[in-house]
Amino acid sequence: MSTPAYEVRVADDPADREACFTIRKEVFVGEQGVPEDIEYDAYDAVAVHVLAVREDGTPLGTGRLLFGAAAAGKTDGDASVGSLGRLAVTRQARGLGVGAALVRAVEEAARVRGLTAVDLHAQTQALGFYERLGYVAYGPEFPDAGMPHRAMRRVL
């Protein structure tokens, strides 16, 4: 049996953005217990959101890129570094390469904006995933939304 094809695109229209938020609610709020009031923030309005969609239109995953002033608090103020966040893949799409495709789409959005690196705050259980994509952990472990995280960076 073949795996259904999917595409990853920048979520420019309102329906795509709403699909991104629905996936985040399902994964972060529903599965991981992140309080809904901290899952969505003011950065959603200025972020570049990416969306993976199966060929039949089913949303599979999402992620976002912060850059410029919006990323400053996550990149130690380095304007040449973007911040990847809110990466979420639906349960049925895990293991299909969707997460890696979303990371690459965020990196491409960063390149288009002239950024030289991408930082992220990874849940410690996901460190191996990001390491396989070229990210390197730095700094101590810290809590975020009640879960242990590490900062990571990939130079583009």
Side-chain angles (χ1 to χ4, degrees):
M1 185 170 139
S2 66
T3 302
Y6 61 88
E7 71 167 332
V8 178
R9 62 184 182 239
V10 173
D12 283 328
D13 71 58
D16 278 358
R17 303 244 330 192
E18 189 55 40
C20 293
F21 299 142
T22 298
I23 292 166
R24 285 170 43 189
K25 184 173 184 175
E26 176 185 327
V27 173
F28 295 126
V29 178
E31 291 180 26
Q32 297 182 358
V34 173
E36 194 165 355
D37 62 326
I38 67 170
E39 173 51 31
Y40 306 102
D41 59 28
Y43 297 121
D44 282 326
V46 297
V48 176
H49 298 268
V50 294
L51 177 67
V53 182
R54 198 168 59 197
E55 59 189 1
D56 68 2
T58 303
L60 302 175
T62 188
R64 77 177 186 186
L65 171 70
L66 301 179
F67 59 96
K74 298 177 182 290
T75 64
D76 293 327
D78 187 340
S80 70
V81 179
S83 177
L84 184 158
R86 303 305 202 267
L87 186 74
V89 176
T90 61
R91 188 183 307 270
Q92 67 269 27
R94 292 179 193 150
L96 302 177
V98 173
L102 288 163
V103 169
R104 295 305 185 221
V106 167
E107 292 170 350
E108 181 56 27
R111 279 187 200 91
V112 165
R113 285 157 182 80
L115 303 177
T116 61
V118 173
D119 275 12
L120 58 87
H121 293 164
Q123 293 177 13
T124 55
Q125 53 88 15
L127 288 173
F129 166 76
Y130 290 111
E131 287 169 344
R132 286 188 295 279
L133 294 174
Y135 286 80
V136 177
Y138 66 91
E141 187 175 289
F142 60 91
D144 189 4
M147 293 172 272
H149 284 68
R150 292 276 312 275
M152 302 185 85
R153 176 172 287 184
R154 180 169 186 262
V155 175
L156 300 177

